[in-house]
Amino acid sequence: MESPLFKRHRRLRGSAAIRGLVRENELTPSHLIYPLFVDAGLSGRRPIEAMPGQDQLGLDALAAEARELAGLDIPAVLLFGLPSYKDERGSSAWARDGVVQQAIGRLKEANPEVLVVGDVCLCEYTSHGHCGLVRADGSVDNDASLPLLAEMSVSLAEAGCDVIAPSDMMDGRVGAIRLALDSAGFSETPILSYAAKFASAFYGPFREAAGSAPAFGDRRGYQMDPANARMAVDEVLTDVAEGADMVMVKPALPYLDVLRSVRDSVDVPVAAYNVSGEYSMLMAAAERGWLDGPRAIDETLTAIRRAGADMIITYHAKDWARRR
Ligand code: PBG
């Protein structure tokens, strides 16, 4: 018999059974975190126009939401708050009866098993919409912002938050938050740091969802330049050294190379945030019949896993889990 002149790769693609045997990456609901936008002034649900299929939720809508997620085996939520008031310092972020603090109670009451991740950032709570304290000249004051972020973190932990996830991109915040949590008796509460967070156009729809667009300027002074991949690894190593238990790359799809580098550079678990703009562009194309939505969603989430994500924060979570 003659030896073949080429390798027959297709031998391993002939049936669903053999494709299953050789599949390298798997996606299950246990890898997914579902973001929730909780509005203090809302009763029921309000659709987010720029994110078809996603709603802002009133506190009274959370119990049903928690039960629905449990039914779909989605283990975790990421909470964003639309507070009842905003000020220069973002003080509603650490109010005992703040919207997220109350939301945690409602969710846990309905499903004690749900893992609650709290987004720590001031942009939803400040009148100017920046992620930290703003000086008279409009610049963001890194060091003065740290105690406020730490206070917000402790307040969320006191309300029952399971994981603290700082997304503000101030330097030194992971260390400051770790110290504050430990001093307040929360040494067992893990930190998931938005370590490599880029100044991205793909956050567009989120700013409608969370009402957090900056009133002036932009976030390029603190979020990363999209051109930089090596620097992302440096950010990640810094956060791990300060005590981050898990790190995140955000956005996901335009940054899969960064995700891979980060995965190869650290041994802590890595999360990827499949952000609002990634969601909306796919949904818009699917709505017009330009893409097969379910297949594109499945391929997207699988690609993010393949690039190195242990867990994925995604607005597709419920939809994907329902079809499974
Ligand atoms: C808060 C925050 C943002 C997102 C998550 N946390 C917005 C921003 O940084 O401008 C974006 C999430 C998304 O687009 O889905 N800092």
Side-chain angles (χ1 to χ4, degrees), residues 80 119 121 123-124 131 167 194 197 202-203 206-207 212 219 223 250 273 275-277 315:
F80 296 101
D119 184 271
C121 189
C123 68
E124 294 128 62
C131 301
S167 71
Y194 287 66
K197 175 172 176 177
F202 291 92
Y203 306 151
F206 175 94
R207 291 177 185 172
S212 66
R219 306 208 200 286
Q223 298 181 348
K250 175 189 172 186
Y273 200 143
V275 302
S276 56
Y315 304 98

Side-chain angles (χ1 to χ4, degrees), residues 138-254:
S139 62
V140 172
D141 188 338
N142 188 90
D143 298 16
S145 303
L146 299 181
L148 307 186
L149 296 162
E151 189 159 352
M152 178 178 183
S153 302
V154 170
S155 165
L156 294 178
E158 280 170 350
C161 190
D162 298 295
V163 178
I164 298 297
S167 71
D168 52 281
M169 288 299 278
M170 297 301 119
D171 289 320
R173 94 272 208 205
V174 172
I177 290 171
R178 184 72 273 160
L179 191 66
L181 287 173
D182 290 357
S183 317
F186 296 105
S187 57
E188 314 245 316
T189 302
I191 296 176
L192 163 59
S193 156
Y194 287 66
K197 175 172 176 177
F198 290 86
S200 174
F202 291 92
Y203 306 151
F206 175 94
R207 291 177 185 172
E208 178 204 329
S212 66
F216 56 86
D218 56 40
R219 306 208 200 286
R220 286 178 232 216
Y222 40 104
Q223 298 181 348
M224 286 192 61
D225 185 329
N228 294 345
R230 289 194 305 268
M231 194 181 278
V233 174
D234 194 25
E235 283 273 2
V236 163
L237 294 176
T238 300
D239 283 5
V240 170
E242 284 182 33
D245 301 280
M246 302 176 276
V247 292
M248 194 194 300
V249 174
K250 175 189 172 186
L253 276 190

Side-chain angles (χ1 to χ4, degrees), residues 40-103:
L42 181 67
S43 171
R45 313 170 73 100
R46 183 200 302 128
I48 301 164
E49 217 173 291
M51 300 176 71
Q54 304 301 311
D55 298 329
Q56 293 168 329
L57 305 178
L59 287 163
D60 57 353
L62 290 174
E65 185 72 19
R67 286 192 288 269
E68 188 185 357
L69 290 166
L72 293 168
D73 293 328
I74 297 168
V77 294
L78 173 61
L79 292 187
F80 296 101
L82 289 90
S84 54
Y85 67 91
K86 303 191 185 206
D87 59 27
E88 289 276 297
R89 291 164 55 80
S91 63
S92 53
W94 55 85
R96 239 175 218 291
D97 61 350
V99 61
V100 171
Q101 286 79 355
Q102 290 190 61

